[in-house]
Amino acid sequence: MNKDIFLTNSYGGKKEKFQPIDVNNIKMYVCGPTVYDDPHIGNARPLVVFDILFKVLKCKYGNDKVTYIRNITDIDDKIIQSAKEKNISIKDLTNNTNKNFQDDCKYLNCENPSFQPRATENINEMIEMITSLISKGYAYESNNHIYFEVKKFKEYGKLSNKKIDDLISGSRVEVSSYKKNAEDFVLWKPSKDDEPSWQSPWGKGRPGWHLECSAMSKKYLGDKFDIHGGGRDLIFPHHENEIAQSRCANETDVFSNYWVHNGFITLSNEKMAKSQGNILKISDFKKTINGQALRLALISTHYKQPLDWNKKLLEESQKTIDKWYKSYVKIDKQKLISDEDLYPLYDDLNTPKYIANLHKLFERSQNGNLEDKKLFVSACNFIGLLTQDQDEWANFKKIKSEVSEEFIKAKIKERNEARDLKNYQLADQIRNELLEKGVQIEDKDGKTAWKFK
């Protein structure tokens, strides 16, 4: 295939031709979840975006020549706090949340990465990296904490294209009297008695979040690699800190050659965040929206741009998939589409243009020609769509109609009326009926709330 891949590199802020370090061994690292709570729709976007990039890289260079690492952060301040709030063990929290995350990835039709290392399985590698940074003069110990001294790395801020003072201003930087400078960040910290801990040369403690990714990427991909991905919110401080500590520890002039970041998902043009109270979990959609429709909605806008999440977007995606199934045929080969059909994805993952091409292929497939139908389905399959047969799709539509929002609200009303009449047996039957359909209800402050379990 002669067509080159182009990607927008956040390190420099421009679209560049992708030139791998080794064409026989393409390496990509993407920051995975911190498993303190189930993933929300904002987390879903990078899952799908980098899944498609994984497919594109394998298509060009070969299935066995691309290594995709996506880590699992299973030790972090957020995890410790969440376990306390939920009154469960950290092990149970991280295992359950990781299981839900993997289920969500399947629901979104994402392939498994080559490896999914967990932070807690790589503590020795983290201690080795810290030891190296101390010996080279880039890190220091203070009251059993180890900090990276940012001023020692002269290129700090190049990814964000800002000076240190500008980056710190208005950002959440850990305040500590143990630091030499406000911008220094923690590599290792002591653990309290009721917190997870590991033995280290600096006492019992645990690693800092930024260090975890540097140690795991080094273990699986080496001192430098091709692509590092994640959401825009990770540029500072996470990715900036990764670059600093990795380049200093590994003594390299580069950490990752290409930095690829997807834009935010907004809800009514506001950033989705817990502090805003507007989080939509992936699991909230599972009973009413097929994962294919969710996936199509997530790639309907170019990955660099913000994506405003709304009901109309989902409805249109659902209708589109529904229409496309009119041309569904089972195909034996993975890829029947030509290189030319794939070109929009080679041009900085231009999924909107690729989807526009799918619409054209669909119209052509409606002429009844079997080969045109196969071509269209193959093109959809390449980006993870039309992967179920027609019966599976139709069955989901049937289930969806049974548990629509209108149905749920009607059942809640029926239950409330039964309770008013003190017919608690009927009220319990309705609750159980909803539970069987995957709907959990909760009575609080005189009102009944519902969610998909």
Side-chain angles (χ1 to χ4, degrees):
M1 185 179 291
N2 296 321
K3 180 69 176 177
D4 293 317
I5 294 174
F6 286 82
L7 295 170
T8 295
N9 192 352
S10 299
Y11 204 95
K14 60 183 180 181
K15 190 159 68 173
E16 300 176 8
K17 177 182 173 182
F18 176 63
Q19 296 179 299
I21 297 169
D22 178 358
V23 294
N24 293 310
N25 189 12
I26 314 299
K27 301 175 183 179
M28 178 170 72
Y29 186 96
V30 177
C31 289
T34 299
V35 285
Y36 71 100
D37 200 1
D38 292 344
H40 55 74
I41 198 67
N43 304 134
R45 195 177 193 191
L47 291 177
V48 174
V49 165
F50 292 104
D51 179 61
I52 292 176
L53 180 54
F54 186 34
K55 296 175 192 298
V56 169
L57 291 170
K58 288 192 298 179
C59 182
K60 180 168 176 63
Y61 297 102
N63 287 342
D64 60 342
K65 295 181 179 179
V66 183
T67 303
Y68 171 21
I69 308 298
R70 186 181 65 213
N71 71 293
I72 303 292
T73 296
D74 57 352
I75 180 62
D76 181 75
D77 291 346
K78 289 180 179 179
I79 291 171
I80 293 170
Q81 182 61 32
S82 180
K84 288 178 180 177
E85 291 173 357
K86 295 175 181 177
N87 197 27
I88 61 174
S89 70
I90 287 174
K91 183 178 180 180
D92 285 344
L93 172 67
T94 55
N95 285 343
N96 292 339
T97 307
N98 182 44
K99 179 185 180 302
N100 293 342
F101 170 75
Q102 301 301 333
D103 289 344
D104 288 346
C105 290
K106 290 178 183 177
Y107 165 67
L108 291 167
N109 230 355
C110 294
E111 293 183 53
N112 289 328
S114 310
F115 300 97
Q116 293 190 77
R118 295 176 69 135
T120 54
E121 297 169 351
N122 294 276
I123 300 296
N124 288 339
E125 286 80 2
M126 297 172 200
I127 290 173
E128 288 175 9
M129 183 168 278
I130 295 170
T131 302
S132 174
L133 287 167
I134 292 173
S135 68
K136 292 169 182 173
Y138 293 108
Y140 59 91
E141 182 177 359
S142 178
N143 200 34
N144 300 111
H145 291 70
I146 309 296
Y147 290 99
F148 183 90
E149 192 168 359
V150 169
K151 288 180 179 175
K152 294 286 184 70
F153 181 61
K154 302 303 181 186
E155 294 186 52
Y156 192 85
K158 276 202 169 183
L159 177 65
S160 314
N161 197 29
K162 292 183 180 179
K163 296 178 181 178
I164 291 177
D165 292 342
D166 295 333
L167 286 169
I168 293 170
S169 176
S171 299
R172 289 186 297 173
V173 175
E174 182 190 12
V175 177
S176 174
S177 58
Y178 307 141
K179 294 182 183 182
K180 289 183 180 179
N181 313 289
E183 64 271 17
D184 296 347
F185 58 90
V186 70
L187 302 173
W188 188 266
K189 63 174 75 174
S191 297
K192 296 176 183 176
D193 292 339
D194 61 345
E195 295 176 347
S197 64
W198 290 264
Q199 289 290 351
S200 80
W202 320 287
K204 289 175 66 176
R206 52 195 171 90
W209 172 42
H210 312 300
L211 182 83
E212 295 175 3
C213 285
S214 283
M216 287 185 280
S217 64
K218 178 181 173 69
K219 178 179 178 179
Y220 286 90
L221 302 178
D223 291 349
K224 58 183 178 179
F225 50 92
D226 297 294
I227 300 168
H228 198 313
R232 286 193 60 81
D233 55 320
L234 297 180
I235 293 178
F236 181 83
H238 187 50
H239 288 165
E240 202 74 76
N241 291 352
E242 274 190 73
I243 291 171
Q245 64 202 7
S246 292
R247 283 188 53 189
C248 292
N250 301 337
E251 296 183 308
T252 58
D253 58 354
V254 69
F255 173 43
S256 173
N257 279 339
Y258 301 86
W259 289 84
V260 182
H261 293 99
N262 63 272
F264 294 121
I265 285 186
T266 58
L267 196 62
S268 299
N269 295 311
E270 286 188 352
K271 181 187 173 186
M272 197 175 291
K274 277 197 167 186
S275 58
Q276 297 288 98
N278 62 357
I279 290 293
L280 296 174
K281 292 184 178 179
I282 299 172
S283 57
D284 293 337
F285 297 92
K286 285 185 175 178
K287 287 291 182 179
T288 56
I289 300 292
N290 189 289
Q292 294 187 68
L294 208 67
R295 185 179 178 98
L296 179 59
L298 287 163
I299 60 175
S300 61
T301 300
H302 194 277
Y303 78 89
K304 291 186 301 182
Q305 303 303 318
L307 172 62
D308 194 51
W309 200 255
N310 54 71
K311 189 176 180 180
K312 183 180 178 182
L313 173 66
L314 276 179
E315 288 176 347
E316 289 300 318
S317 297
Q318 188 88 12
K319 288 177 182 176
T320 296
I321 300 286
D322 211 18
K323 180 180 73 172
W324 286 353
Y325 262 99
K326 293 176 182 177
S327 280
Y328 178 82
V329 289
K330 191 172 182 178
I331 56 174
D332 298 324
K333 294 183 179 179
Q334 282 284 327
K335 187 179 85 71
L336 302 173
I337 44 176
S338 67
D339 297 341
E340 185 177 352
D341 290 319
L342 284 172
Y343 284 174
L345 298 180
Y346 280 63
D347 185 15
D348 200 18
L349 292 184
N350 192 336
T351 52
K353 189 172 181 180
Y354 186 82
I355 292 167
N357 285 356
L358 287 180
H359 282 292
K360 292 177 184 176
L361 288 173
F362 170 75
E363 292 302 327
R364 196 168 83 195
S365 72
Q366 286 292 285
N367 63 16
N369 184 294
L370 181 59
E371 291 306 312
D372 284 341
K373 288 182 186 293
K374 286 183 176 180
L375 178 65
F376 168 67
V377 174
S378 176
C380 289
N381 285 174
F382 187 80
I383 57 169
L385 301 175
L386 266 58
T387 52
Q388 299 172 310
D389 63 31
Q390 284 170 312
D391 288 342
E392 288 176 299
W393 176 258
N395 186 51
F396 183 88
K397 285 177 64 182
K398 179 182 176 184
I399 294 171
K400 180 193 167 198
S401 68
E402 291 177 355
V403 288
S404 65
E405 188 172 341
E406 291 75 15
F407 170 82
I408 295 167
K409 288 180 177 179
K411 282 294 177 182
I412 289 174
K413 182 182 178 183
E414 186 180 338
R415 176 176 174 271
N416 288 339
E417 289 171 350
R419 295 174 72 199
D420 290 340
L421 294 171
K422 300 190 185 308
N423 189 346
Y424 299 116
Q425 184 177 356
L426 177 58
D428 288 343
Q429 286 177 358
I430 295 169
R431 174 191 286 273
N432 292 335
E433 180 186 352
L434 288 169
L435 273 174
E436 287 175 4
K437 294 184 182 295
V439 181
Q440 186 173 323
I441 58 176
E442 180 182 357
D443 301 311
K444 190 174 182 180
D445 299 329
K447 296 181 179 180
T448 303
W450 64 273
K451 65 178 181 179
F452 290 113
K453 62 178 183 177

